[in-house]
Amino acid sequence: MLECDLIMKGGITSGIVYPHAITEIARKYRLRSIGGTSAGAIGAVIAASAEYRRQSAEPGHEDDGFSAISTIPDELGRDLQSLFQPTDKLQSLYGILIALINAPKGRNKALIFLKAAAFAYKVTAVLFAAPGLLIAAYAYWYDCGLGTIAFGLLLALVALIAAVAYRIYKNVADDLPDNDFGLCTGLQTRHSEVPAFTDWMADQIDRVAGNVGPDGKATTLLTIGDLKKHDIAIASMTTDLSSNRPYQLPLHTKIHYFSESEFRRLFPKRVVDYLVKKGAPYKDSGDDEPQDLHWLPVRDDFPVLLVARMSLSFPGLISAVPLYRVDYTRAKNSNGQHPMKRCLFSDGGISSNFPIHFFDALVPSRPTFGIALTGYEAERHGEGPASRTELPQEPLSHAHMPVFPVTGISGFLSAIINTAKDWQDSLQSLLPGYSERIVEIRLDDASEGGLNLTMDAAIIEKISGYGRQAGELVVNKFSFDEHRYRRAISSLPAMEGTLDKFSENYEAPAWPDGQKMTYEQILTTYESASYSNKPAWRLDPFNALAKTLSGIGKNAREAPQGKSVRGGRVPHTDSDIRLVASPDRVPADAGTSGGGV
């Protein structure tokens, strides 16, 4: 088969579009590297599970995994909302959220909020409003006058509002942080008879991968190492809020620990049992640190489920995942160890909601397709089913970015947040060599995808059909030859410009005061206090490579008209080639003992 990589954008329930998109693309392409963020990460692990089954199945059963994927929309259509199960203390707050989500368009949201809040905290509301209502009833019964009746009703209203406001405050200020800033942990609660979304994800991975016995129960836990045996890779983004940085999953550096008791509140038993067995216990915990810490397995031992769950922690709705690591910037504790600090890993979309840069190469050997999610507007996109999906055939530029008017304070704040977290993904997606491999699926924000947790079967069937359309566009309209040419005429001019500047700096003379060396002297004779190397290595290959690259840049700068790559008909792109920090891992020598293994 032809091979491809696949990236899927985050969007909570919008991920319902992915099953049919994946199955359509998989008819033509063997999936090699699959990634995404948040809901896109769920799509990635499910797709990887199906490809794993295809590569390891007995003859005649290669497509069983993708057939299993195709049934997911129908399954979710029966009761999508049941996947989101709030904890006992946060059920009232969740009820208010659902009431706001289901509010008819054009209705006063403030009134809906007040009504939903009074109902959600009805016991509290009745208890606190009762005195005022009794005063009003007494005044009415004994004809004490309208003033007394009004006073009783006003007292009841004020008491009701104050009591409900206090309960909301306690939920938000105390209970939500205690639940790691999510209404739902992801595990099935004692009030439910059906699995919650983390249980569901774990079951789907096993079912699609074929890791179940005759009784339908999981036999083995699918890991990164299992996928690697069949040349399958997955990746997603997560955000460590406590360290103010993103990480690419699966984790590669052995610096994190997990608390067994905390993980048992977030993950199925078989997953935690595996992690405890694989991760050695940490024996140097201080008195104020958890006593049940274990190393978090990394690389090949990393469970596929964690790739999705650590990326899917939508703030406020889904609990963040706590991990621990040594903070070497703090003083040592009574045990003579640097303290262990708790890190909260939240939604990957905070850092990169559409990591189209995953699996990137200057000269690609196979296409990396992207499936992007965006809002649908009839006046912008037109009418009819064909308006809901698009795969650009002509090169795009930054001038093609849509304009969204900013209105109201909520719209202003939302625009700030979305711009801060999405600008890099958005601009990257428009570059030639990128845009023609990204199929766009447009959903109506008012009723489709996103936070619409209560979508019915008809809506789910409709939007999952858009996923099928998107997959068909990729299979039928994408040209890999055209893509490679566009990629080359975007990358090579940028590379030439970078080498041109490199040559200028390399050949620049020493500073006039004689205190500064030329770059050639820096590379060959300067004595570094940090990195010592043998003189022979510094002359060749280190400086030899620098001279070669400088020569290429100089030739490009001095080339006559038409002999420079940049002198051709190439895209005018806002792009460059530079050293960029990677969220993938911490260097292997990070920290001191116990870190960076």
Side-chain angles (χ1 to χ4, degrees), residues 330-503:
R330 294 178 182 267
K332 294 182 179 180
N333 57 26
S334 58
N335 291 349
Q337 303 289 331
H338 293 283
M340 189 76 69
K341 291 299 177 181
R342 193 171 190 259
C343 303
L344 277 184
F345 284 75
S346 191
D347 196 273
I350 298 171
S351 307
S352 177
N353 205 34
F354 187 41
I356 192 62
H357 60 278
F358 279 175
F359 323 126
D360 211 0
L362 287 175
V363 181
S365 61
R366 57 179 180 265
T368 298
F369 297 122
I371 305 178
L373 303 170
T374 189
Y376 167 72
E377 299 175 45
E379 63 179 5
R380 189 190 303 272
H381 303 120
E383 302 280 357
S387 65
R388 294 302 196 102
T389 57
E390 182 181 13
L391 180 67
Q393 299 299 298
E394 298 298 325
L396 301 181
S397 71
H398 295 167
H400 290 87
M401 292 192 73
V403 177
F404 300 101
V406 178
T407 57
I409 188 65
S410 61
F412 177 69
L413 295 175
S414 177
I416 291 175
I417 294 171
N418 289 335
T419 302
K421 71 185 185 70
D422 292 339
W423 71 269
Q424 191 161 9
D425 294 339
S426 299
L427 296 183
Q428 192 79 23
S429 299
L430 290 171
L431 293 176
Y434 286 82
S435 59
E436 71 275 4
R437 58 185 171 92
I438 299 174
V439 61
E440 187 175 83
I441 301 177
R442 300 156 179 162
L443 302 179
D444 185 348
D445 296 335
S447 60
E448 301 170 349
L451 272 172
N452 292 290
L453 309 181
T454 58
M455 290 185 292
D456 60 27
I459 293 178
I460 288 175
E461 181 181 6
K462 180 174 68 172
I463 66 176
S464 67
Y466 299 149
R468 182 181 287 107
Q469 289 177 210
E472 290 171 350
L473 284 176
V474 168
V475 168
N476 297 325
K477 290 196 173 183
F478 175 77
S479 167
F480 191 36
D481 290 340
E482 178 67 19
H483 167 64
R484 285 187 292 174
Y485 181 69
R486 292 186 190 178
R487 189 61 186 263
I489 64 172
S490 300
S491 301
L492 294 180
M495 187 183 299
E496 184 184 73
T498 299
L499 292 177
D500 186 342
K501 188 64 178 178
F502 177 89
S503 175

